[in-house]
Amino acid sequence: MKYYILTYTFIENYLEKRTPYRKDHFEVAKAAVAAGSLLLGGATEGPGETGVLIFQVKDKSQVETFAAQDPYVKNGIVISYDIKEWNVVLGSKL
């Protein structure tokens, strides 16, 4: 299994604009947590311009599928995203 970081860049004023999609976004995220693929997720502190999600999956395509199904991506709350493989070398969960 590999670790991946999915980084979202949100639209301006996303806190207000996400409301209609928030419940569905959390349902997709909770399903990924229940499946064991999504380990952590949330927005950075401050103006709320960036979301970060940490996955542990077999390959990058699983993260790509998650992003494609996320209501925030599908409805324009996320203006761009990036997926990077994360070579974890230290930690208690290795």
Side-chain angles (χ1 to χ4, degrees):
M1 298 286 257
K2 298 179 180 181
Y3 289 95
Y4 290 90
I5 300 171
L6 171 61
T7 305
Y8 283 165
T9 301
F10 297 119
I11 59 173
E12 190 172 325
N13 298 319
Y14 103 97
L15 292 174
E16 295 84 22
K17 295 176 181 175
R18 71 182 178 182
T19 302
Y21 315 108
R22 188 170 168 93
K23 180 179 179 265
D24 293 336
H25 165 74
F26 275 113
E27 286 179 11
V28 170
K30 287 178 182 180
V33 169
S37 59
L38 177 58
L39 304 179
L40 299 166
T44 57
E45 190 63 35
E49 298 173 348
T50 305
V52 178
L53 298 99
I54 307 294
F55 290 83
Q56 185 179 27
V57 292
K58 289 183 180 180
D59 61 62
K60 184 178 179 178
S61 68
Q62 293 173 274
V63 182
E64 292 167 341
T65 298
F66 174 90
Q69 295 174 346
D70 188 340
Y72 281 5
V73 174
K74 290 168 53 174
N75 291 286
I77 303 304
V78 173
I79 56 174
S80 67
Y81 64 86
D82 184 53
I83 302 168
K84 292 198 184 314
E85 186 173 338
W86 185 24
N87 296 315
V88 177
V89 296
L90 184 66
S92 62
K93 300 294 182 182
L94 297 177

